[in-house]
Amino acid sequence: MKSKDTLKHAGKRKQLVDVLVKKGIKNKEVLSAISKIPRHLFMDSGFDDHAYQDKAFPIGADQTISQPYTVAFQTELLEVKRGDQVLEIGTGSGYQTAVLCELGIKVYSIERQRELFKKTKLFLPKLGYSPKHLSFGDGYKGLEQYAPYKGIIVTAGAPYVPKPLMAQLAIGGRLVIPVGDDPQIMTLFIRKNDTQFEKHEFGEFRFVPLLENKN
Ligand code: SAH
């Protein structure tokens, strides 16, 4: 049985939000989403003490739930608004997915590990989160059938920028992707028109790798 969400957890979330503010996160909606989402329920029970530290944590199948600061930073960079379509690569625990749902985003998300995909697909609705579509597959290919997206967020380290993700971005849309081997450089691409993208870099982050060709 999963443990419940309590006032004690809410108190710890408030402290986490204070830490994120100190680290430079400004977007009020993002901070409010983090103050609401019971992150401890996205991890195996027994790890309550770790859930509200600003740290990544193992979630099984050799994967991790991203560090809250990283989730907040990437979400802030997306600059999306209620009703926008966003594609997430690497559903994992579904925590980032839940943050986007809290913002009123129409979320499409892809995961390549079958167990994680199945587990998260069952779990998110239990917390009241309804992403538009959760897909089992290879994020390198994106999800063409629902393109274009106002935002694409990649939550694993990409050795290079997959072309289909650039192609599936709406004009004016933003792709947030950590690029490189360990560590990665957080990179933002803004689509200017059919052929031109503006590129911005935001320093080093560490992610599990975006893996190819399992399916
Ligand atoms: N957003 C997640 C982060 C999980 S870590 C969260 O908030 O918990 C990155 C995830 O990317 C892992 O679950 C991993 O299995 C997945 N992944 C790795 N390569 C992938 C690929 N090619 N396509 C889709 N998902 C991938």
Side-chain angles (χ1 to χ4, degrees), residues 63-64 88 90-93 96 111-113 138-139 155 210-211:
Q63 300 306 325
T64 55
E88 176 191 20
T91 317
S93 69
Q96 171 75 66
E111 172 58 52
R112 78 184 270 287
Q113 298 260 12
D138 180 8
T155 70
L210 188 68
L211 301 169

Side-chain angles (χ1 to χ4, degrees), residues 19 75 85 211:
V19 169
T75 310
Q85 285 212 144
L211 301 169

Side-chain angles (χ1 to χ4, degrees), residues 3-40:
S3 56
K4 293 219 170 63
D5 193 30
T6 65
L7 274 177
K8 189 170 146 226
H9 293 115
K12 285 188 187 174
R13 282 201 286 281
K14 171 82 179 59
Q15 288 172 5
L16 172 61
V17 165
D18 291 344
V19 169
L20 298 180
V21 169
K22 284 206 186 86
K23 289 186 177 177
I25 302 298
K26 291 193 174 64
N27 187 310
K28 292 261 182 334
E29 285 191 87
V30 173
L31 293 167
S32 160
I34 288 173
S35 76
K36 288 184 193 148
I37 302 172
R39 188 171 186 259
H40 62 288

